[in-house]
Amino acid sequence: EIFDKITLLESCRLSESNLKNKNVVITAGGTREAIDPVRYIGNNSSGKMGYALAQAAAYAGAHVTLISANSHQPKPNGVKLVPVTTAKEMQTAVEAEFAKTDVVIMAAAVADYRPEETFDHKIKKDSAESLEKITLVKNPDILATLGQQKQNQFLVGFAAETTELEAFAQTKLKAKNADMVIANDVSQAGIGFNSDENAVVVISADEAKVVLPKAPKTVLAQKLIELIATRI
Amino acid sequence: EIFDKITLLESCRLSESNLKNKNVVITAGGTREAIDPVRYIGNNSSGKMGYALAQAAAYAGAHVTLISANSHQPKPNGVKLVPVTTAKEMQTAVEAEFAKTDVVIMAAAVADYRPEETFDHKIKKDSAESLEKITLVKNPDILATLGQQKQNQFLVGFAAETTELEAFAQTKLKAKNADMVIANDVSQAGIGFNSDENAVVVISADEAKVVLPKAPKTVLAQKLIELIATRI
C-alpha cells in the first residue's frame, strides 16, 4: 500500500504541468475578410479546437490569452478573450502579446487572401460596380512572421489539409520555422471543421511524429497540451 | 366596470391573430457559397431577426417552417426547422413548401453571387491554381422567383441597405412582385446585422409606409407579425 501511495504522489508531482504560470497565446476560429459591409470571405472553422486547447491550457495552470475570430463557442473559464475579425486584426493582437509569450498555438483558420478592395457600401446586384470578379491579395502570414521573430517562444501551427497531410505538415514546419505542426484532414466527414471530434498527426522538428486517433476535441486538446508541456 | 369588461373582451377577440393555423415559411441566417472545402463567401446575417419572426408567428398560432442558413440562434419553440447552407439549397427548401404556404417571409440574407467553380480540395496558397481572382456567377433570385409563381401567397421581402433605404425598398417591392418589403439600414451601428436591435421601414404596395423605430428584434418581430396579420 505504501508503494501505491508513493506511486500516486509521484504521478501527482509529474502531472504538475510545465505550462504552469507560462504565458500561452492561442488563436481560434476563422478570420473574415470583408468584401463590402454585408459580404465577406470566411472559412469553416468553428473555433472548437482552439477553445478546447485554451481551456486545457488554463487547467494546466497557464495564463492563457485566447485570440478568437468569429467563433460562437462559450468563453472558456479563466482565459483572457480577445475578439478579432480579420487576419490583420489577429496579427496585431498576436504581436501585441508575442514578446512576453512562452507558447503560441495558432489554431485559427486565417484567411490566406483578402479582397483587394473593401467597398464601404453594399454592392447592388445590378449596379455597374457589380461583383462578377473579386480580386484578392495575400494576407500577412502570421505563423511565418512569428517564426522569423521568435526568441524562446515555442511555436505551434495547425495544418488543415485535404490531401498529402503529413507532407504538407512537414513542409509547413520548416517553411514557417515552427516547433510543432498539428495536421488534420478536413476532407474526412465527422472530424475537423465544425465537428466535435478530430484526429491529428503531430509533427515536430526533432521528434517522431505522434498520431492521435479520432477523439472528442476536448480530449485531443488535453493530450496536445500535455504533449506541448513535455516539449517546452 | 361592465364597459371595461366589454372592451377587454373585444380586445381579446381582436387579438386572435389572422395567422392562426396559417402556414408560414420564414427564411433566416445567411447563405454560404463554397470556394473550396475550407473557404466560402458568406454574409453578416446572424439569423436573429428571422428567428424572432418565427417565434412571434408561432406564438400567433401559425404553423411555421423556419428555413435557416448557418445561424447559431437557439431553435424557436413550436417551429419546424430546416437547415440549409447555400442559396440553391434554400431555394429548393422554400419551393418545396411554397404551394401550401400562406405567408413567406424572406428574412435570410441570400448570397447574390456564388463562385463559378467550387474546388473539391483546399486551394494551396502557393499552388498554380491560386486564388488571385474568384469569378462569380449570379445565384437564383428566390424572392423574384416566388413573386412570379405566387397565387394567393403573401410575400414579404427584406432589404438590407446602406444607402437610399426607402427608394431601394420601393424598387424591390415592384421588381420582385412582393406584397411587403421590410427595409433596414445595415450601415448604422447598433442595429441590423448581428445586433440585438433593429429599426425598419415597412413598404407595402397599397398602404402608407410604417416606420418602426429602434427596438429589440424580439419586439420588432412581434410588431411585424401583427402588421402582416392585418394585411393578409
Side-chain angles (χ1 to χ4, degrees):
Chain A
E1 202 197 355
I2 187 90
F3 291 105
D4 281 359
K5 278 187 181 157
I6 289 170
T7 313
L8 190 66
L9 267 169
E10 190 67 13
S11 86
C12 282
R13 189 128 48 94
L14 281 171
S15 79
E16 173 147 309
S17 174
N18 276 333
L19 284 168
K20 191 166 181 189
N21 292 325
K22 291 286 195 298
N23 293 322
V24 175
V25 168
I26 299 174
T27 65
T31 67
R32 292 179 178 177
E33 310 297 326
I35 299 168
D36 67 19
V38 175
R39 303 173 178 94
Y40 62 82
I41 297 179
N43 64 64
N44 287 315
S45 176
S46 62
K48 283 176 189 165
M49 195 69 226
Y51 274 60
L53 286 164
Q55 188 63 84
Y59 285 156
H63 305 299
V64 179
T65 301
L66 176 60
I67 299 172
S68 172
N70 312 299
S71 176
H72 292 269
Q73 298 304 306
K75 182 182 173 302
N77 295 321
V79 157
K80 179 183 155 198
L81 187 71
V82 180
V84 297
T85 301
T86 67
K88 280 186 164 180
E89 288 170 17
M90 179 166 279
Q91 182 178 38
T92 302
V94 173
E95 292 191 342
E97 301 287 334
F98 194 59
K100 58 177 186 286
T101 294
D102 301 295
V103 178
V104 178
I105 308 176
M106 294 286 295
V110 182
D112 295 325
Y113 294 89
R114 66 176 185 278
E116 186 173 41
E117 184 176 11
T118 298
F119 293 90
D120 64 358
H121 58 281
K122 183 183 173 190
I123 304 301
K124 305 294 296 176
K125 189 162 43 171
D126 301 309
S127 74
E129 51 184 9
S130 84
L131 282 177
E132 306 284 308
K133 275 207 195 320
I134 303 176
T135 303
L136 302 178
V137 294
K138 275 189 190 172
N139 261 329
D141 186 327
I142 305 176
L143 185 61
T145 307
L146 298 180
Q148 285 160 18
Q149 293 172 2
K150 77 174 178 183
Q151 308 289 331
N152 298 312
Q153 292 91 343
F154 189 84
L155 192 55
V156 183
F158 268 74
E161 304 295 346
T162 52
T163 57
E164 300 174 65
L165 194 61
E166 286 180 39
F168 279 132
Q170 285 286 2
T171 306
K172 189 164 191 170
L173 185 78
K174 290 191 187 76
K176 309 298 169 78
N177 195 27
D179 298 288
M180 181 185 282
V181 168
I182 300 165
N184 66 323
D185 183 347
V186 291
S187 71
Q188 285 186 51
I191 64 169
F193 282 141
N194 260 314
S195 302
D196 288 324
E197 297 194 307
N198 207 350
V200 300
V201 180
V202 183
I203 309 285
S204 309
D206 303 315
E207 310 268 355
K209 73 175 183 190
V210 177
V211 177
L212 297 176
K214 188 174 170 178
K217 284 179 175 173
T218 47
V219 174
L220 272 186
Q222 178 72 31
K223 290 185 177 176
L224 288 167
I225 288 298
E226 284 169 16
L227 188 62
I228 290 165
T230 66
R231 300 282 174 85
I232 61 173
Chain B
E1 200 197 353
I2 186 93
F3 290 106
D4 280 358
K5 279 187 182 161
I6 288 170
T7 312
L8 190 65
L9 267 171
E10 190 67 13
S11 85
C12 282
R13 188 129 48 94
L14 281 172
S15 79
E16 173 147 311
S17 173
N18 277 333
L19 283 168
K20 191 167 182 188
N21 293 324
K22 291 287 195 297
N23 293 320
V24 176
V25 168
I26 299 174
T27 66
T31 67
R32 292 179 178 177
E33 312 296 327
I35 299 168
D36 66 19
V38 175
R39 304 174 178 93
Y40 62 82
I41 297 179
N43 65 64
N44 287 316
S45 175
S46 63
K48 283 176 189 164
M49 195 68 224
Y51 275 61
L53 286 164
Q55 189 62 84
Y59 284 156
H63 305 298
V64 179
T65 301
L66 176 60
I67 299 171
S68 171
N70 312 300
S71 176
H72 292 271
Q73 298 303 306
K75 182 183 173 300
N77 296 321
V79 157
K80 180 183 155 197
L81 187 71
V82 179
V84 297
T85 302
T86 67
K88 279 186 164 180
E89 288 170 17
M90 179 166 276
Q91 181 178 38
T92 302
V94 173
E95 291 191 343
E97 300 288 332
F98 194 58
K100 57 177 188 285
T101 294
D102 301 296
V103 178
V104 178
I105 308 176
M106 294 286 296
V110 182
D112 295 326
Y113 294 89
R114 67 175 184 279
E116 187 174 41
E117 183 176 11
T118 298
F119 294 90
D120 64 358
H121 57 281
K122 183 183 174 190
I123 304 301
K124 303 295 297 177
K125 189 162 43 170
D126 301 308
S127 73
E129 51 185 9
S130 84
L131 283 176
E132 305 284 307
K133 273 203 197 318
I134 303 175
T135 303
L136 303 177
V137 294
K138 275 190 189 171
N139 262 329
D141 186 328
I142 305 176
L143 185 62
T145 307
L146 298 180
Q148 284 160 18
Q149 292 172 3
K150 78 174 177 184
Q151 307 290 331
N152 297 312
Q153 292 91 344
F154 189 85
L155 192 56
V156 183
F158 269 73
E161 306 293 348
T162 51
T163 56
E164 299 174 66
L165 195 61
E166 286 180 40
F168 279 132
Q170 285 285 3
T171 305
K172 189 164 192 169
L173 185 78
K174 290 191 187 74
K176 309 297 171 79
N177 195 29
D179 299 288
M180 181 185 280
V181 168
I182 300 166
N184 66 320
D185 183 347
V186 290
S187 71
Q188 284 186 51
I191 64 169
F193 283 140
N194 262 314
S195 301
D196 288 323
E197 296 194 308
N198 207 350
V200 300
V201 180
V202 183
I203 308 286
S204 310
D206 304 316
E207 311 268 355
K209 73 175 183 190
V210 177
V211 177
L212 296 176
K214 187 175 171 177
K217 284 180 175 174
T218 47
V219 173
L220 270 186
Q222 178 74 32
K223 290 185 178 176
L224 288 167
I225 288 298
E226 283 169 16
L227 188 62
I228 291 167
T230 66
R231 300 281 174 87
I232 61 172

